[in-house]
């Protein structure tokens, strides 16, 4: 039955026999009691992976005896067996006196059981822990597929003093759903409230709940609990059908957890908005298969340039990212001394793009950190038909701007342009610069207008300026956008000359100029326009 450490004193008898010394039974009992109070390492009973079918009290009779006889039991491993209600009640009874119990490893414990059996079994086990006065540090109920009702089965336990000391909560692949996620969030919130009132606030460090169909509402509810806790170091929530509203809520919560080092949101859907919200947070960023896309990658690059000095791993694989955006990301990891791996596999670079990316990493002496690019999806296809349909609208916009006059546009900037809207700033910038002429008065008016616009926009925040650059690149047709309503413009010399002028001004962030150059230089090569 897999006993470990102080759960057996047979070794003590061997020592006394080998020395040939007779000891009174009272002396042995006294020594045994003293040893039970002085443990080296944790005291654990393990029945892991036995594949036992535990239906009733008789089937767990031997297990119950060992639990009762194990002094100072700290860890109980039951995973990999199948537990019925009656058997759970018998085990629960044996745990009522186990005050020292800290770790419950109870994953994969109900295989083949009816879903209706699981909540009462969990309630029995939970009640015994509350009765014993135990203070848990680890609770693992992963791979039990108990659904929302199963969460209700542990709700009372999670709210109780038994969980005031909880450090790790593992509920991976439990099928909680939105409702279960909300119940869980409420229980954690109540636990924090009650533990704080008792003078010892809950300080959960590791939270794992992948493959639970939490979706946006479940993730948002949990995010509120995370924000309150403020103690998390690892969050793992892959494959939960979360998109940008849930991702944004989690990003807000993460800012209130300064010790967070690992975030795994693999196989959810970020898009640009979620990526921007999450871009400034972590040491290990796993956004693989999250549809980060090129705009999101640029936002993350902005966060990399601004901070994240201790980043160890960045995974942006299978995110529909183009070569130019990947190069921007690669250049942004310059100086990250702790970086161990950059994963950009499965994106849209093409053979030449993959080689260009390798060359960039080699120039940074970081080529060994770049992961495999063997699953690259090839270069993205251009939407030529959409571009042709938009040409007439673009010409009309340019004519309107020219008729109204550039000076009038400058007045509009100062009074009406909402610079918090990056897409609007980009649109206004391109309209103004589209009427550029190589005439002193026109040139001066245009530069003054675009300078006023960008100076005001860039004064808001670093992330705002990255949003502008991203929107501008999309408007110029250099990057596909998730927003199908965004119109591409026909690139004119005035656009490029206005950008060249703006990038040389003191208000234009140097790192943003680098991002812009990475994309525009490709456009210039295609159109054979001189861009300095």
């Amino acid at each position: 039955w897999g006993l470990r450490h102080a759960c057996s004193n047979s070794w003590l008898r061997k020592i006394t026999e080998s020395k040939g010394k007779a000891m009174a039974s009272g002396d042995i009992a006294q020594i045994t009691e003293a040893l039970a109070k002085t443990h080296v390492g944790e005291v654990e009973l393990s029945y892991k992976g036995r594949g036992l079918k535990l239906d009733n009290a008789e089937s767990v009779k031997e297990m119950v005896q060992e639990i009762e006889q194990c002094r100072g039991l700290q860890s109980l491993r039951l995973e990999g067996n199948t537990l019925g209600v009656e058997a759970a009640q018998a085990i629960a009874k044996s745990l009522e006196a186990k005050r020292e119990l800290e770790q419950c490893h109870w994953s994969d414990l109900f295989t083949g059981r009816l879903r209706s059996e699981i909540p009462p079994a969990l309630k029995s086990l939970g009640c015994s822990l509350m009765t014993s006065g135990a203070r848990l540090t680890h609770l693992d109920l992963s791979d039990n597929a108990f659904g929302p009702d199963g969460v209700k089965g542990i709700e009372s336990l999670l709210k109780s003093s038994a969980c005031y000391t909880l450090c790790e909560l593992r509920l991976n692949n439990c099928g909680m759903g939105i409702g279960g996620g909300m119940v869980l969030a409420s229980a954690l919130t109540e636990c924090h409230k009650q533990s704080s009132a008792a003078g010892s606030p809950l300080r959960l460090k590791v939270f794992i709940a992948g493959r639970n169909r939490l979706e946006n509402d479940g993730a948002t509810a949990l995010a509120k609990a995370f924000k309150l806790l403020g103690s998390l170091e690892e969050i793992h929530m892959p494959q939960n059908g979360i998109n940008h509203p849930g991702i944004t809520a989690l990003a807000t919560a993460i800012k209130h957890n300064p010790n967070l080092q690992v975030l795994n949101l693999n196989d959810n859907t970020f898009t640009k908005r979620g990526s921007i919200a999450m871009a400034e947070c972590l040491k290990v960023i796993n956004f693989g298969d999250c549809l980060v896309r090129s705009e999101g990658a640029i936002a993350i690059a902005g966060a990399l340039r601004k901070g994240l000095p201790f980043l160890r791993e960045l995974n942006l694989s299978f995110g529909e990212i183009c070569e130019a955006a990947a190069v921007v990301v690669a250049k942004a990891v310059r100086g990250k001394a702790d970086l161990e791996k950059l994963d950009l596999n499965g994106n849209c670079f093409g053979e030449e793009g993959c080689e260009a990316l390798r060359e960039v990493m080699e120039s940074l002496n970081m080529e060994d950190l770049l992961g495999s690019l063997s699953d690259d999806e090839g270069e993205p296809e251009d939407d030529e038909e959409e571009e042709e349909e938009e040409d007439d609208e673009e010409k009309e916009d340019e004519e309107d701007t020219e008729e109204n006059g550039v000076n009038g546009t400058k007045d509009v900037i100062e009074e009406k342009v909402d610079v918090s809207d990056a897409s609007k700033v980009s649109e206004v910038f391109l309209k103004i610069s589209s009427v550029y002429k190589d005439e002193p008065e026109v040139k001066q008016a245009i530069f003054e207008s675009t300078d006023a616009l960008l100076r005001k926009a860039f004064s808001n925040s670093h992330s705002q300026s990255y949003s502008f650059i991203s929107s501008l690149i999309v408007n110029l047709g250099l990057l596909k956008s998730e927003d199908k309503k965004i119109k591409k413009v026909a690139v004119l010399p005035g656009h490029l000359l206005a950008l060249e002028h703006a990038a040389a001004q003191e208000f234009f962030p140097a790192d943003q100029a680098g991002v812009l150059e990475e994309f525009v230089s490709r456009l210039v090569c295609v159109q054979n326009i001189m861009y300095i």
Side-chain angles (χ1 to χ4, degrees), residues 169-328:
L169 178 59
R170 298 171 180 262
L171 296 168
N172 200 59
N173 191 30
C174 289
M176 290 189 287
I178 295 172
M182 289 181 167
V183 172
L184 176 59
S186 177
L188 291 174
T189 300
E190 183 64 20
C191 183
H192 184 270
K193 178 182 176 181
Q194 296 295 339
S195 60
S196 297
S200 181
L202 171 65
R203 294 193 59 78
L204 188 67
K205 294 182 179 179
V206 177
F207 178 85
I208 299 177
R211 300 182 66 186
N212 271 293
R213 297 181 287 106
L214 294 170
E215 301 183 17
N216 289 327
D217 290 344
T220 299
L222 285 166
K224 291 178 181 177
F226 296 164
K227 182 178 178 180
L228 183 65
L229 292 174
S231 56
L232 287 163
E233 296 178 5
E234 294 186 26
I235 298 175
H236 301 261
M237 296 173 65
Q239 295 183 327
N240 270 297
I242 309 170
N243 54 39
H244 71 84
I247 297 296
T248 301
L250 288 169
T252 300
I254 286 169
K255 293 177 182 177
H256 293 267
N257 287 264
N259 295 322
L260 190 72
Q261 298 182 32
V262 178
L263 176 67
N264 180 0
L265 294 173
N266 191 286
D267 203 9
N268 290 291
T269 303
F270 276 38
T271 66
K272 176 185 175 183
R273 283 175 285 184
S275 299
I276 290 174
M278 194 61 78
E280 301 177 358
C281 299
L282 314 158
K283 290 186 179 180
V284 176
I285 300 178
N286 184 347
F287 293 168
D289 202 18
C290 284
L291 288 183
V292 168
R293 297 196 173 106
S294 298
E295 290 181 272
I298 292 171
I300 290 170
L304 290 170
R305 291 179 183 274
K306 183 181 179 184
L308 299 172
F310 305 112
L311 185 70
R312 295 200 310 267
E313 182 177 335
L314 177 60
N315 182 349
L316 299 179
S317 60
F318 299 94
E320 296 186 4
I321 300 170
C322 72
E323 174 208 343
V327 168
V328 171

Side-chain angles (χ1 to χ4, degrees), residues 16-69:
T16 53
E17 288 171 3
S18 66
K19 292 188 176 182
K21 295 181 180 179
M23 299 183 74
S25 59
D27 293 336
I28 292 177
Q30 191 174 13
I31 292 171
T32 302
E33 183 177 358
L35 286 172
K37 294 178 180 178
T38 310
H39 303 306
V40 179
E42 68 182 18
V43 182
E44 179 179 277
L45 267 175
S46 178
Y47 306 91
K48 179 179 180 180
R50 300 273 178 171
L52 302 171
K53 193 171 188 296
L54 308 171
D55 295 325
N56 49 41
E58 183 62 28
S59 66
V60 294
K61 184 177 179 180
E62 187 175 349
M63 182 187 295
V64 165
Q65 289 177 345
E66 294 202 5
I67 292 173
E68 290 175 343
Q69 293 171 5

